[in-house]
Each structure stands twice: as structure tokens, then as C-alpha cells.
Amino acid sequence: MLELLCSRRIDALKPVMEAEVKAAMRESYNLWLKKKNGFSEMNRWFGNIALNIMFQTVVGKRFFSDGDVNEENERIRKAFRELFDLSSSLAVSDCLPYLRWLDLDGKEKKMKRTAKEIDWFIQIWLEEHKRNRDCGSGERKQSQDLMDVLLGLVEEGEEFDGHDSDTTIKAMCLSLIMAGSDTTTRTLAWALSLLLNNREILQEAIKELDTEIGSERMVEVSDLKKLKYLESIIKEALRLYPPAPLNLPHESMENCTVGGYDVASDTRLLTNLSKLQRDPSLYANPLEFCPERFLTTHKEVDVKGQHFELIPFGAGRRMCPGISFGLQAMQLILATLLHGFDIVTNDGGPVDTVEQNIRAFPLEVILTPRLTSHIYVQI
Ligand code: HEM
């Protein structure tokens, strides 16, 4: 994972990220031109960009565009939507394991069907990558996606933990797509909801974008280091609503002592990140959305696993390897959106958020272009 997501490779992926964000902006602009009403559901809007970025990065393909209706893309979209829904839902047998054989809610059957469908597509992409690897003439493809990189790292026929190399590559690709898309989408949906409910903070963010970027072009990855207020908005959204509120489960490999507690081997550990990051002894007014804290009182606190009061990406050896990629993608998407469109909720009122369940309600807004038209057309 560290090899796959090292800074050299992330740098090489910048054009993919920029192209996807610009394509989404152009699509929304064209929709507004056609209807003069830029209605958008933002969970889907962010989700499409995040999924296209991850699919392009991992297998060099894009499937998630509302304007692109074709039978195969629709089948892929449906299978992945099912995968995300199933992976975050609870089955009866999770609570009553002895009833698993009955599959009372039909989840196991659905999981097997979805797994088969997704494996079918990934196998086709893997075969395609193997065929294209040497372009038939010993020449390598110019831009490598992560499946190409994995094919270069893993020997054909090599075994990993009892799994053959194809299964290992397919599983890693799927893990990357899942790990990178839902987390990014949720954080962006929370950040936008919080901004729409705190309009003075939204105005401050727009002011920073207008000052640093102007109105004659769109935001680029190279601008992000100048956008300190925007960075603090993302940090504050991750503090209040980490997309993995209990982190991933960790398990001790042997007996050990942590913070004075004896921990037996094979003990499962869940870390309550949400509680930690809202601890009143660490943050003043911990439930308030206040990005300024990361420019003042908590200026030195970053999300890179060194400051335990803010660890939305985990910490230590198994912390998220996609941290730089994820931060860059989220900042670019949010900055480009706020810079390119005026945003109000569908009914003009605040967003009616339900704690911790951003995906359960539609985040409906009206997007109105705020830059001159040639900027959306040129990109
Ligand atoms: C908002 C963005 C993201 C957040 C908040 C996030 C958060 C996390 C967290 C909390 C973990 C578990 C860390 C631990 O066990 O201590 C994790 C693991 C992981 N993340 Fe992310 N992540 C994000 C984006 C990404 C992206 C964009 C990628 C890929 C490009 C990615 C790839 C991974 C992978 C592969 C793992 C498993 C690492 C392992 O088990 O060793 N993540 N992430």
C-alpha cells in the first residue's frame, strides 16, 4: 500500500484528479444552461467524482456520470451501489449468529450475488490490463494505473496467505476503491452541510478563494497549499464527523501492556474517534463547527497521526496510507465547487442533518455559476 500510494505516484495522479473535478463542473454548468435551474443532490455529486477518481486511479476507467447512460455502466454502478450498502448494513446473523443458516433477511444471498457480479467485472479488467501491459511490442503504457503497478510488483503464480496472485490483485484494487471513495464522499457531504448551516464561514471560504485564485480560472492542485482556511474547514469536518467513527478494528497479536492495562492476545480494539475528537478537555465548544480553531488555538494540530486529539485517518503503522491522496482530493473538490458555484439549499433553509448518518438523507441544493461562462466551457 505504501508503494502504491507514495508521493511520487500521487503527484502523477494530479491530472486525473483535476480532470475529474473539471468534468463534474462542466456537467453541472451544462445542466444549469439547459434548465436554468442547477438542482443537484450533493451526496451523488460528490460520490460520482470520488468514484470516478478512484476507478481512474485504480483501473484507469470511469463509470459514474449522470449524463452517460449505457447498459454496462449502469450494471457496474448498480453492483457497486449494492456493495456500499451491504458493507455498511447490519445483518440479522451479525446479532444472532446461530440463525445464520436461515439467512433471514436474505443478506448473505445478496452478498454472494453482488460479489460474483463485481468479481466478473474486475476479472475482465485484470485480463485487459495483462494484455495491454506490454502493448504487444514490449512497450509499456505511458500512464500506469494502480492495477498496472500491482501487476509489476506481484509475480504470476505467487501466493499470498493462500490466495493466488490474481485474487490478491483483485482484492487490493477493490479495497482501494472502497477505502477511498465512501470516506471522501461522506466528509465532503458533511463539510458542505456544515457550511450551508454556517453561512458566515462559507462566505469567509469564498473570500479566500476569490483572493487567492481570482475569477478568471478554476482552482488547481498547485493552489491548495495557499488555501489555509479551506484546509481548516476539512479538518474541522473530519474532527466532528470522522467517516470511520470507531476506526477500523485492530487486534493484538500477542499479550501486551498498553497504558498500564494488560491486553491478552487476539483482543479486538475499537477506538472511539468521535468521542476523542469531541472531548471538551481537548477542544473548547467541542460540538461547534469552528474551523478557526485550526488557525489559532489548535494551529499545530494536524491529521497525520502525530496528534492524538485528531486522528480521523488512524495512527501508527496501520494508519491510512491514502491520507495525502484523500486530503488533496477533498480540498480540490470542495474548493472548486465553492469557487465555481453559488450554493443554496433547495428550500433556502438550513440543512436538516441527522447525526452520523449523512447518507440517509438527500442533500439537495441549487448550484448557480458564479464565474464567467467561458471558464466552464474551456475546461
Ligand atoms: C476522508 C478520507 C479518508 C479517511 C478519513 C480515511 C480513514 C482511514 C482509517 C481511519 C483507516 C484505518 C486506520 C487504522 O486502522 O488505524 C484507513 C485505512 C485505509 N485507508 Fe483510508 N481514509 C481516507 C481515504 C483513503 C483513500 C483516498 C485511500 C486510497 C487511495 C485510502 C486507503 C486506505 C487503505 C488501503 C486502508 C487500509 C490500510 C491497512 O489496513 O493497512 N483511504 N483509512
Side-chain angles (χ1 to χ4, degrees):
M1 284 300 174
L2 292 176
E3 163 71 26
L4 281 180
L5 297 167
C6 64
S7 52
R8 177 173 48 90
R9 237 180 270 294
I10 292 172
D11 275 352
L13 292 169
K14 272 181 202 161
V16 171
M17 232 180 239
E18 282 178 348
E20 275 310 324
V21 179
K22 285 178 178 171
M25 296 295 284
R26 194 171 44 231
E27 214 172 89
S28 292
Y29 177 75
N30 287 340
L31 203 74
W32 175 83
L33 265 189
K34 219 189 285 171
K35 297 190 177 165
K36 287 286 172 214
N37 164 16
F39 173 81
S40 281
E41 199 286 295
M42 297 310 285
N43 275 301
R44 193 178 170 88
W45 200 89
F46 290 133
N48 282 353
I49 305 182
L51 279 160
N52 278 336
I53 291 179
M54 287 316 297
F55 270 90
Q56 287 268 33
T57 303
V58 179
V59 290
K61 294 177 182 294
R62 67 194 299 275
F63 304 106
F64 294 82
S65 157
D66 285 343
D68 182 7
V69 190
N70 97 38
E71 208 178 304
E72 184 173 280
N73 284 7
E74 201 36 64
R75 220 177 116 188
I76 293 167
R77 289 199 279 252
K78 184 165 174 272
F80 274 87
R81 249 175 246 134
E82 262 168 21
L83 173 68
F84 286 122
D85 286 346
L86 285 167
S87 60
S88 59
S89 79
L90 194 74
V92 174
S93 58
D94 289 328
C95 309
L96 305 168
Y98 55 92
L99 292 181
R100 183 177 159 187
W101 63 280
L102 284 171
D103 192 19
L104 284 171
D105 47 8
K107 290 257 169 79
E108 193 158 331
K109 192 168 161 218
K110 209 169 170 192
M111 283 178 195
K112 284 183 178 154
R113 200 180 54 222
T114 307
K116 206 167 150 196
E117 176 84 343
I118 288 181
D119 188 57
W120 192 78
F121 282 114
I122 304 197
Q123 185 65 42
I124 294 178
W125 302 331
L126 183 64
E127 299 300 337
E128 210 175 275
H129 276 70
K130 282 186 188 172
R131 275 198 307 276
N132 291 345
R133 238 185 122 210
D134 294 317
C135 300
S137 60
E139 230 178 87
R140 281 281 153 86
K141 254 185 8 181
Q142 277 213 326
S143 68
Q144 286 200 319
D145 53 50
L146 297 186
M147 194 179 249
D148 288 316
V149 179
L150 280 168
L151 278 167
L153 289 173
V154 171
E155 293 282 330
E156 186 91 46
E158 208 175 334
E159 280 217 347
F160 297 86
D161 252 349
H163 299 291
D164 61 57
S165 54
D166 277 10
T167 306
T168 307
I169 293 178
K170 286 190 290 180
M172 284 184 89
C173 287
L174 190 57
S175 300
L176 277 166
I177 291 170
M178 288 188 70
S181 46
D182 209 35
T183 44
T184 306
T185 306
R186 278 185 205 214
T187 308
L188 287 169
W190 272 120
L192 183 62
S193 303
L194 290 161
L195 287 171
L196 289 170
N197 287 352
N198 294 275
R199 306 283 313 183
E200 66 299 345
I201 298 178
L202 175 61
Q203 287 317 316
E204 200 57 37
I206 295 172
K207 201 165 116 195
E208 179 183 58
L209 287 160
D210 287 346
T211 311
E212 298 294 345
I213 317 292
S215 55
E216 288 306 312
R217 64 179 179 89
M218 289 229 169
V219 185
E220 286 164 11
V221 172
S222 55
D223 296 313
L224 298 180
K225 53 184 176 306
K226 294 183 279 185
L227 304 175
K228 296 291 173 210
Y229 195 69
L230 188 101
E231 185 187 317
S232 69
I233 288 172
I234 299 276
K235 271 166 122 175
E236 183 69 342
L238 284 167
R239 182 186 72 81
L240 283 169
Y241 299 103
L246 296 178
N247 202 0
L248 293 190
H250 286 232
E251 201 174 90
S252 54
M253 293 160 76
E254 53 192 44
N255 294 342
C256 53
T257 306
V258 181
Y261 292 90
D262 292 330
V263 182
S265 76
D266 302 331
T267 304
R268 282 261 171 122
L269 171 77
L270 296 174
T271 319
N272 193 341
L273 301 186
S274 281
K275 181 150 179 13
L276 193 98
Q277 296 180 169
R278 293 171 176 212
D279 186 335
S281 69
L282 300 171
Y283 294 99
N285 304 317
L287 303 184
E288 245 172 56
F289 177 60
C290 175
E292 278 81 6
R293 68 174 94 238
F294 290 112
L295 299 171
T296 53
T297 50
H298 291 67
K299 198 171 174 209
E300 305 309 325
V301 174
D302 69 28
V303 286
K304 308 226 166 112
Q306 300 301 316
H307 304 108
F308 296 141
E309 58 270 58
L310 187 66
I311 47 169
F313 295 91
R317 263 207 303 188
R318 294 301 291 268
M319 76 173 287
C320 177
I323 178 168
S324 305
F325 186 88
L327 284 172
Q328 201 171 81
M330 289 189 293
Q331 285 169 17
L332 182 69
I333 297 169
L334 189 63
T336 314
L337 174 71
L338 300 183
H339 184 235
F341 287 103
D342 279 325
I343 311 168
V344 287
T345 51
N346 203 15
D347 59 8
V351 179
D352 182 16
T353 50
V354 182
E355 278 283 295
Q356 300 296 358
N357 200 3
I358 190 81
R359 283 206 309 169
F361 66 93
L363 179 50
E364 292 169 340
V365 301
I366 308 288
L367 300 179
T368 314
R370 60 185 295 276
L371 303 174
T372 37
S373 55
H374 74 271
I375 295 175
Y376 304 89
V377 181
Q378 266 174 4
I379 52 178

